[in-house]
Amino acid sequence: TRYSGYPEKPIKGRREVLGSLALSKTAMATSGDYRHWRERDGSVFSHTMDPYLGAPLASDLASVSVLCASCMYADAWATALMVLGVERGTQVATARGLSAIFVVREGEELREVMVGF
């Protein structure tokens, strides 16, 4: 059975499709900073914590989608790669043989970095 996966554009307050993927015997999960966040004194804080700093994650990486045989592993890897950031995250994804889509904010633009496709 084939299904379509739809990663979202990481835009706060809007739901818009970034693209679609045909999936077969594969799960996809996404971690990002655009769904659960808080704003305080003009600063935006992610719900994902940076374990190195003990504070909310702050980076230009907006989201990471991971494809795995198990949705549980895809979800865990998406969060882990989000915390690692685009540079280190792509290295780890490549070393682990993962398929992942990193979406990076560059000003008003979004840039996709794909690994394992």
Side-chain angles (χ1 to χ4, degrees):
T1 305
R2 293 181 73 81
Y3 299 95
S4 291
Y6 299 99
E8 286 186 286
K9 280 188 178 177
I11 301 172
K12 291 176 174 69
R14 281 193 0 218
R15 288 197 166 212
E16 191 174 321
V17 174
L18 178 64
S20 67
L21 298 167
L23 305 177
S24 179
K25 298 180 183 177
T26 302
M28 180 174 68
T30 301
S31 183
D33 67 356
Y34 57 96
R35 181 76 59 230
H36 301 286
W37 51 276
R38 296 287 182 257
E39 186 174 346
R40 184 173 180 189
D41 299 328
S43 295
V44 176
F45 299 94
S46 171
H47 77 288
T48 304
M49 297 298 288
D50 183 332
Y52 303 105
L53 299 176
L57 190 61
S59 88
D60 292 334
L61 185 56
S63 70
V64 180
S65 297
V66 175
L67 283 72
C68 282
S70 159
C71 191
M72 179 179 66
Y73 285 117
D75 185 46
W77 275 115
T79 301
L81 297 176
M82 183 77 188
V83 168
L84 289 173
V86 69
E87 186 175 320
R88 183 73 180 121
T90 55
Q91 293 170 352
V92 170
T94 300
R96 296 290 183 155
L98 299 172
S99 295
I101 304 167
F102 294 77
V103 180
V104 183
R105 283 193 186 89
E106 294 180 339
E108 297 295 317
E109 301 296 317
L110 298 172
R111 176 175 57 96
E112 294 178 50
V113 177
M114 299 179 79
V115 174
F117 286 91

